[in-house]
Amino acid sequence: KALWEMWPQQDGKGPQMARRFKETLRTRATQAFVAAAMLAVSVSATAARERTASLGNPLPQLEQPLYIAVGEPTRPPIGWVDFCVEYQPECATKPSAPRDVVLSTKAWTDMVKVNAWANQAIKPITDTEHWGVIERWNYPDDGYGDCEDYVLLKRRMLVQAGWPREALLITVVRDKKGDGHAVLTVKTDRGEFILDNQEPQILSWDRTGYRFVKRQSQSDPNAWVLLGEPPAAPAIVSAR
């Protein structure tokens, strides 16, 4: 049995103490993973710059920022709903004013480093192979995950680095094959850019070839909005 299952049961406090102990273990494991990830990004800064140069992914020089057309409110993906049940503190946020990232050269370089590190560190696997279910959103702390798990990790790393949550938007798209897929949209003063585990370069949203379906609202991560025209059918993010 796990340690928390053998917790003393006297005075009726055993289950409550066991839950707290289990939550503490998971929190410490998550903190350790984030610390290791950020350390890896820092230690490999030179290598990341070399990879960035080899990818030909310099700071874009756009004549005019391009932004995705935002539509009506819509239901969040079931994966996000279930994620909020498991990671309740992360979803217990209050609405806030929208904020965009000022896309300096340093901010762009840091974003490229995080994107490259996550794409290389996490091994792709479907939820069916990983968890035995069609859809589950989870942090890839064991080193494996599918598209939305990459997104959650990149979002967490950027938030830990001080980036505004309001500019880091989990987004559901239809990829070039028409399959449901999840990416991270970073909203900046120079436009909206996509962090994608299927694409090594960070691209402006209009260069991805994707059809954008819906994403988190800037003011509230638990509120979702349609993008462009309403989708013909629900998009299930099952792609790796």
Side-chain angles (χ1 to χ4, degrees):
K1 289 186 176 181
L3 181 57
W4 52 80
E5 294 178 345
M6 298 185 289
W7 202 279
Q9 303 296 311
Q10 66 270 20
D11 300 328
K13 297 181 179 180
Q16 182 179 4
M17 296 175 69
R19 284 194 300 272
R20 291 179 179 175
F21 184 67
K22 185 177 180 180
E23 291 172 0
T24 299
L25 288 180
R26 186 169 66 180
T27 299
R28 289 179 178 176
T30 297
Q31 291 172 342
F33 182 86
V34 173
M38 297 307 294
L39 178 61
V41 170
S42 177
V43 170
S44 62
T46 300
R49 283 193 294 270
E50 293 174 354
R51 287 196 302 272
T52 301
S54 67
L55 291 173
N57 201 189
L59 177 65
Q61 302 297 324
L62 302 177
E63 295 183 1
Q64 183 175 358
L66 295 176
Y67 298 97
I68 304 172
V70 176
E72 298 295 321
T74 188
R75 290 183 299 178
I78 186 62
W80 175 256
V81 174
D82 291 342
F83 173 83
C84 288
V85 172
E86 184 172 359
Y87 296 90
Q88 185 176 7
E90 297 203 20
C91 300
T93 58
K94 296 180 179 180
S96 55
R99 297 172 62 190
D100 292 356
V101 172
V102 176
L103 195 59
S104 63
T105 299
K106 182 181 184 305
W108 176 262
T109 301
D110 290 345
M111 186 165 61
V112 170
K113 288 178 185 177
V114 167
N115 189 59
W117 185 89
N119 285 353
Q120 293 180 10
I122 305 304
K123 306 301 181 185
I125 188 173
T126 65
D127 286 331
T128 302
E129 296 169 318
H130 199 185
W131 304 109
V133 296
I134 295 177
E135 185 79 340
R136 179 178 178 182
W137 292 26
N138 200 63
Y139 285 119
D141 293 344
D142 61 355
Y144 296 89
D146 66 353
C147 55
E148 68 271 0
D149 305 329
Y150 285 87
V151 170
L152 289 167
L153 173 60
K154 294 171 186 178
R155 178 176 178 265
R156 180 171 69 178
M157 292 177 68
L158 290 170
V159 168
Q160 290 282 341
W163 288 47
R165 170 187 56 77
E166 295 85 353
L168 307 172
L169 310 174
I170 302 175
T171 305
V172 174
V173 303
R174 292 284 185 181
D175 65 16
K176 297 174 183 178
K177 297 179 180 179
D179 295 329
H181 183 46
V183 296
L184 182 66
T185 298
V186 180
K187 198 166 185 296
T188 81
D189 61 339
R190 298 195 183 193
E192 298 179 352
F193 296 91
I194 304 302
L195 278 63
D196 185 0
N197 69 300
Q198 294 185 1
E199 167 60 54
Q201 293 195 23
I202 295 176
L203 302 175
S204 175
W205 69 273
D206 58 307
R207 293 184 57 205
T208 62
Y210 294 162
R211 182 166 71 83
F212 287 76
V213 178
K214 59 184 173 182
R215 75 181 184 196
Q216 292 174 307
S217 164
Q218 270 197 288
S219 59
D220 185 352
N222 298 309
W224 288 65
V225 293
L226 293 172
L227 300 173
E229 297 181 1
I236 299 175
V237 290
S238 58
R240 290 188 180 186

